[in-house]
Amino acid sequence: MPHDSERPDPIDELKALTSRAQALGGEASEERQHKQGKLTARERIDLLLDPGSFSELNLFVESRATDFGMDARRSPGDGVITGSGYVNGQLVFVASQDFGALGGSLGEMHAEKIVKMQELAMKAGAPIVTILDSGGARIHEGVLALHGYAQIFHNNTQASGVIPQISIIVGPCAGGAVYSPAITDFVFMVDGLSKMFITGPEVIKAVTGEDVTVEELGGGAVHSSTSGNAHFLAKDERECFAMVKKLLSFLPSNNLDDPPLAETPEWPPDENPELDGVVPAEATNPYDVRDLITNVFDDGDFLEVHADFAKNIVVGFARLKGRPVGVVGNQPTHLAGVLDIDSSDKLARFVRFCDAFNLPLINFVDVPGYLPGTQQEYGGVIRHGAKVLFAYSEANVPKVALIVRKSYGGAYIAMSGFGLGYDRVLAYPFAEIAVMGPEGAANIIFRREIGEAEDPDKVREEKIDEYRTLFAKPYTAAKYGLVDVIIEPRQTRGALIRALEMTAHKREDRPRKKHGNIPL
Ligand code: HXC
């Protein structure tokens, strides 16, 4: 197109403005990030998305703030890159904060870009990945920054259960800013790089007198093991983005889609002899439930979620004949696999995610019950444990339980009780299903006989044996129809495949309501 020679060529102008805007904080910012062992906002997007697939939104947006000299400190893009692209061919929406622009702080326009991206993702029915590296609310912009966060939290909540939302913390994430990741489905952190806290070490020192380092307070290790705020911990950013891509491979784009089907692998076979030796016959001997899981699901591939938090329950994603499923297993190597406050929270949240996104649930049950003790009772194990019952009762995806060894009491109900709406309940021949373990049961119901006996220990042993013979087998439950089928361990994969095929097109309506009121 001809143009006035006095004015710059519009195409050249576009190119110059684009390249200026794409440089974000420029070389100094890039150098600073790299010096701190961090990637830049754009490098992170490149690591996440299929090459050349990124479409950027609002490249030319800038801050409108003028107070505190902000008019002289505007940066193109206002400290965040937003847009969409593809991860292994699946459409996703992305925001990546640029710490080089005013510490990645969130002002009015920065927030507006994120809000717009969130709204587009919801309309498109595609997952959101947010990459956070920020000093929080931009102090210069006051209430407008807070308003921005409010809109983001509101959209996070509207999108919850509609599209998967993933947060990646690759720098600071402090103050109220932490609540966006906390509302999303999965939080990834990088060891030594990510820091997440409500109030920092200085404020803590001033208020409580405690001395704590940033890493001890809000590093990846502490959040992935102690607080449970992070679901995944990576050793570096590259590993982190690879893990995010793997997680996305199990997920549908939205709540109306089915999870993506993969090819059926060659291993393991439907009848797998490797499984025969995994569970020790003696009920008190531990084994690692992951040895069952990896011998049952496609290629032994299992993406564990919350691997270092509440280790007494194992949750994660796997595939059965190409179909993604949510897998749950009590972990006998940790606290004998009991349910307690943290494992109940971990489990209930996972179940609700799977239910929202059409992932069938498969439970490997070996649970002696809920953890006794004042610490648990005072901490609210009743309301936390109730979440598990609520989450499973509410879930109407296919629900299959395999009772591996013990399934006692309330934990039996939660994880394998037909009454809760399980579609199939399978059991190994050495499964024990009862209100409680034989020792505890005999001491209660035969207290008088044991107390009055000449040899109380002998009578106790006899009564324990009597109880065990009657209840500590799956046949009593099978007689009442509360166990469908009893299988040998080697038959597990084939039996689970049939159970899923039988329930693949399950439809189960729920009463119309605004929403339930899950115990917290
Ligand atoms: C404006 C900010 C900023 C902020 C950092 N910067 N945080 N500017 N608003 N919140 C700027 C710094 O002034 C500096 O500008 C540049 O970003 C880099 O910051 P440094 O401090 O030099 O970096 P570093 O030493 O790596 O420390 C990073 C940090 C620290 C730990 C994040 O900057 C910090 O503590 N920032 C404040 C954190 C905070 O309290 N935020 C508010 C939380 S409350 P120059 O000009 O030097 O390059 C909140 C409310 C949300 O977010 C409410 C929602 C409910």
Side-chain angles (χ1 to χ4, degrees):
M1 180 191 276
H3 66 92
D4 180 350
S5 58
E6 294 296 303
R7 294 173 53 209
D9 178 78
I11 305 295
D12 288 345
E13 186 181 33
L14 171 66
K15 284 182 178 158
L17 289 173
T18 301
S19 115
R20 176 179 160 269
Q22 283 177 339
L24 294 170
E27 272 176 34
S29 151
E30 188 176 325
E31 203 181 306
R32 183 189 160 127
Q33 286 290 95
H34 290 168
K35 234 190 211 154
Q36 292 186 349
K38 302 202 295 190
L39 298 172
T40 65
R42 251 176 228 292
E43 285 168 340
R44 288 166 175 160
I45 288 182
D46 289 346
L47 265 185
L48 176 71
L49 298 181
D50 298 345
S53 71
F54 183 51
S55 305
E56 187 161 352
L57 292 165
N58 299 121
L59 179 67
F60 298 117
V61 159
E62 288 187 4
S63 168
R64 301 193 292 185
T66 52
D67 294 336
F68 304 108
M70 272 298 288
D71 38 356
R73 300 208 57 193
R74 292 195 180 138
S75 74
D78 204 28
V80 64
I81 303 170
T82 57
S84 66
Y86 290 85
V87 173
N88 297 322
Q90 181 188 21
L91 179 67
V92 297
F93 282 75
V94 198
S96 180
Q97 292 181 314
D98 170 28
F99 193 84
L102 284 165
S105 59
L106 182 138
E108 176 201 18
M109 300 308 284
H110 179 126
E112 210 160 276
K113 286 178 72 175
I114 297 177
V115 165
K116 188 167 176 183
M117 175 279 289
Q118 290 176 310
E119 286 167 0
L120 280 170
M122 274 190 274
K123 283 187 214 166
I128 293 176
V129 178
T130 307
I131 304 166
L132 297 106
D133 186 0
S134 161
R138 188 172 299 152
I139 295 161
H140 315 67
E141 297 197 33
V143 71
L144 285 175
L146 299 181
H147 174 62
Y149 270 120
Q151 289 173 290
I152 291 169
F153 301 162
H154 181 264
N155 279 349
N156 284 138
T157 308
Q158 301 311 311
S160 182
V162 179
I163 48 176
Q165 298 180 86
I166 293 171
S167 302
I168 307 173
I169 319 288
V170 272
C173 180
V178 297
Y179 288 120
S180 172
I183 297 172
T184 63
D185 298 302
F186 297 104
V187 175
F188 286 74
M189 294 184 82
V190 176
D191 207 13
L193 210 65
S194 322
K195 293 149 204 16
M196 196 165 43
F197 43 78
I198 299 274
T199 47
E202 292 84 12
V203 178
I204 292 182
K205 176 80 183 159
V207 175
T208 71
E210 276 174 286
D211 271 315
V212 64
T213 65
V214 167
E215 192 59 34
E216 287 164 350
L217 180 67
V222 81
H223 282 311
S224 58
S225 61
T226 310
S227 72
N229 288 321
H231 300 82
F232 296 95
L233 178 66
K235 65 175 187 314
D236 57 35
E237 291 200 54
R238 276 170 208 284
E239 185 183 74
C240 182
F241 284 97
M243 286 160 78
V244 171
K245 288 183 187 189
K246 177 151 188 180
L247 172 62
L248 282 166
S249 76
F250 289 99
L251 310 184
S253 294
N254 58 64
N255 61 331
L256 301 177
D257 277 359
D258 283 328
L261 282 180
E263 302 277 304
T264 302
E266 291 189 1
W267 192 91
D270 284 4
E271 187 157 326
N272 181 7
E274 294 281 321
L275 284 161
D276 287 343
V278 175
V279 184
E282 181 52 55
T284 49
N285 282 357
Y287 61 94
D288 189 332
V289 69
R290 289 171 297 198
D291 291 339
L292 277 181
I293 293 169
T294 52
N295 274 294
V296 167
F297 293 98
D298 294 6
D299 283 325
D301 189 19
F302 177 54
L303 179 65
E304 193 174 346
V305 176
H306 257 153
D308 296 319
F309 174 66
K311 291 182 181 177
N312 35 334
I313 194 98
V314 168
V315 301
F317 300 104
R319 292 185 182 84
L320 198 57
K321 231 178 144 186
R323 183 175 179 191
V325 293
V327 181
V328 172
N330 306 108
Q331 177 58 288
T333 58
H334 200 84
L335 290 174
V338 289
L339 285 179
D340 60 359
I341 290 171
D342 283 348
S343 60
S344 294
D345 287 359
K346 170 174 164 177
L347 176 53
R349 184 136 168 96
F350 182 73
V351 167
R352 296 192 99 206
F353 178 83
C354 291
D355 185 46
F357 292 105
N358 310 318
L359 288 141
L361 285 158
I362 299 182
N363 295 350
F364 290 74
V365 185
D366 189 351
V367 57
Y370 281 90
L371 184 63
T374 50
Q375 196 206 8
Q376 289 288 308
E377 297 288 346
Y378 296 167
V381 70
I382 295 175
R383 59 193 163 84
H384 289 277
K387 273 182 232 182
V388 180
L389 294 161
F390 195 105
Y392 273 117
S393 298
E394 189 185 48
N396 61 1
V397 288
K399 293 185 288 198
V400 177
L402 167 65
I403 303 175
V404 172
R405 229 167 34 173
K406 297 181 287 293
S407 187
Y408 294 160
Y412 153 79
I413 298 171
M415 298 193 63
S416 55
F418 258 121
L420 233 56
Y422 280 88
D423 298 293
R424 301 290 315 278
V425 178
L426 321 178
Y428 286 161
F430 34 82
E432 300 180 7
I433 304 158
V435 173
M436 62 175 72
E439 290 77 7
N443 277 332
I444 292 173
I445 59 178
F446 302 115
R447 184 183 295 142
R448 188 160 341 111
E449 288 94 322
I450 294 170
E452 289 169 357
E454 266 180 39
D455 185 347
D457 289 343
K458 183 164 168 276
V459 174
R460 182 180 292 110
E461 280 313 310
E462 283 168 9
K463 294 297 178 191
I464 289 173
D465 266 359
E466 205 177 302
Y467 186 88
R468 185 173 282 128
T469 309
L470 196 58
F471 287 117
K473 287 186 177 164
Y475 300 102
T476 305
K479 205 163 65 182
Y480 297 131
L482 296 175
V483 162
D484 282 324
V485 56
I486 300 169
I487 56 168
E488 293 174 51
R490 63 171 57 208
Q491 299 168 325
T492 307
R493 178 174 160 89
L496 291 177
I497 288 173
R498 284 188 293 281
L500 270 201
E501 284 170 350
M502 206 180 273
T503 54
H505 304 293
K506 176 183 174 188
R507 288 282 176 269
E508 199 173 88
D509 290 334
R510 294 285 182 247
R512 282 174 65 88
K513 56 181 156 182
K514 191 169 173 193
H515 57 72
N517 188 11
I518 191 164
L520 295 173

